[in-house]
Amino acid sequence: MDKKQSSMGTLDDSYLNYPHRSYGMDHERYEWSMLKNRKPVAWPNGKKVAVWVNVGLQFFPLNQKGIPFKVPGGMTKPYPDLRHYTLRDYGNRVGIYRFLKAFDRYGVKPTFAMNTRLAEKYPYLLGLLKERQDEILSHGHHMDALHYGGQNPEEEKELVKTALDRLRNLTGQSVKGWISPAKNESMNTPDFLAEEGIAYFCDWANDAMPYNFKTKHGDLVAMPLSTELEDHFIILNNLHTAEDWGEQVKDAFAFLLEESQTMGGRILSLNIHPWVLGQPHRIGYLESVLEELAAHDAVWMATASEILESWKSQTA
Amino acid sequence: MKEEPGYYDYWPYHNRPKITWPNGAKVAFWVAPNIEFYELDPPDNPFRKPWPQPTPALPGYTSRDWGNRVGHTRQMELLDKYGIRGSISLSTALCDHHPEIIELCKERNWEFFSHGIYNTRYTYGMTEEQEREMIKDSMESIYKHTGQKCAGYLAPALSHSEFTLDLFAEVGTELFGDEAGFYTCDLFHDDQPTPIHLRSGKRFVSIPYSLEMNDTIAYLVQKTTPRNYGQALKENFDRLYQEGAESGTIMCIPTHNYQVTNAHRIKAYEEALEYITGHSDVWVTTGKEIAEYFMEHYYDVVNEDIGQKAKQYGNA
């Protein structure tokens, strides 16, 4: 695209050119499609709402470089920012064990999005997750290893490959899923992911259901991991209480359940972080949400891959 | 640069001539869904960066796209349920990108007004000629795709020049005479319509379009909870309804299909719509209908009152 502009602060006439002004999207990655026009999806056993509890297991380096920006949730103070480093680390030491206890109590089937650096640093935690046989997907190398527009493609390709090779090696799992740190990408990220054997990714939060996303190496599936309902977004960005978070999740569930009566199966995706909801004063609200959801007849507690497979089998 | 915009005179909110809406209504109530298209890779503008991250800026882009793919239908069904016709603030390039949405709104006889071409193309830095061309393009697009003669304007991303309102009114006259280009949503100085001074002397009004009730301001800027937003809508209505007994007021809910229709927010919105439309003396209408009614019945009376007060008290 022409980015010409004069130095005087006025705009070149090209500012009134609109090269992508035609049917569909302004890029070639996926088809324009309104959800209401798609074939309804039916979840296994007549369930109406798939609940995907996705836990971000993150490592925020103390020596954050912040290229090209400081990752949300990362260090904000001058080095060494012990305050933010340790409070994030709290999640991996303490909060996660509160999560696991709650998942087991209510029969929740979680999916873990893990930074490779964290898997390397905390073999105890990794071993426990492997033993549980929960699905692990890649959350990139670490939270300061961002994928971004303008990044050297060779450097990014190597970053994707290293993160995945090491995580696959450590977990013994095929690792089919991906969430970029900060859900940030370059224009090349999807191509590199597909090339490295990723089947689904969660950075494009532009739908309520999975959809096919084109790459140079075949299609990925974009899985709808809601940012709007994230604990980090609601509690630390919007500054709502954990109780408010719980109410919003319950309202969302009630609405999706209602919508599923006429529109087919729906997905309630909860992207949560042990350093946020794993705090003693917040965990109770997570438990209350999980208890209500897990006890509901219409809920299918599912991992990301299970949802993906069910969706794929009906849309192929 | 001017010290003040000069569009209107000081007009105290007491002892105004009484306005009564059709059928004795106290409040003219309208909902203005912004249906927008944000570009993935917009050109640079020297005065405003379209996105905080380098391209592709996924958080902002995907959220807006979600609104068109998922949210629009949800809001439309809700407005149908409460007998409300939307007054659409339209990124007019959306007629080309997503004609399905335009058709659905046309079927419902919703009003379309101009919100520029894309919400990632700002007025800042445009010459008067460029801005005239952009506005003309937008009004012609609306006519071509909907058959409507565009009556109202809300500048793209609320980006203005000193000429914006003049140009909009003049282009309206050039294209369709007095039938187009006669109201603006860009000014937030009042709860009642105001005659606007233009260089052409055209009869032109400002129709209140509340930024305070705007879902994006509430959710992204104020970071309110859904339930507090619903409550604020009801309280805003209560006061305007009460005061409307003295002289008719206007309540507008400006929305965005990517904010208010999120599963965790839509219930609060619905409760407010149900509450407001459940009152007897409410005129549920559109921006254009309010502007037309005001111009036919009150424009001259109000102008005279404003002029008389300016003369008496010497408002400069």
Side-chain angles (χ1 to χ4, degrees), chain A residues 105-141:
Chain A
R105 184 180 315 146
Y106 300 113
V108 173
K109 209 168 174 185
T111 306
F112 294 96
M114 200 164 193
N115 286 146
T116 297
R117 266 317 272 151
L118 190 77
E120 289 173 338
K121 292 174 84 69
Y122 296 154
Y124 182 91
L125 177 57
L126 180 70
L128 188 62
L129 298 181
K130 283 167 71 175
E131 201 176 296
R132 295 169 53 92
Q133 298 186 310
D134 288 316
E135 178 181 349
I136 296 174
L137 61 104
S138 172
H139 196 6
H141 190 57

Side-chain angles (χ1 to χ4, degrees), chain B residues 196-213:
Chain B
I196 294 298
H197 305 307
L198 297 178
R199 63 188 181 187
S200 61
K202 183 175 179 175
R203 283 162 76 95
F204 190 92
V205 287
S206 165
I207 298 298
Y209 163 97
S210 173
L211 268 194
E212 297 280 332
M213 294 296 105

Side-chain angles (χ1 to χ4, degrees), chain A residues 25-26 46 63 79 84 98 101 127 140 149 240 246 266 275 298 300:
Chain A
M25 303 311 299
D26 58 338
N63 57 345
Y79 179 86
H84 287 100
R98 293 201 178 106
K101 206 181 269 183
H240 301 171
R266 285 289 178 260
W275 56 271
W300 176 35

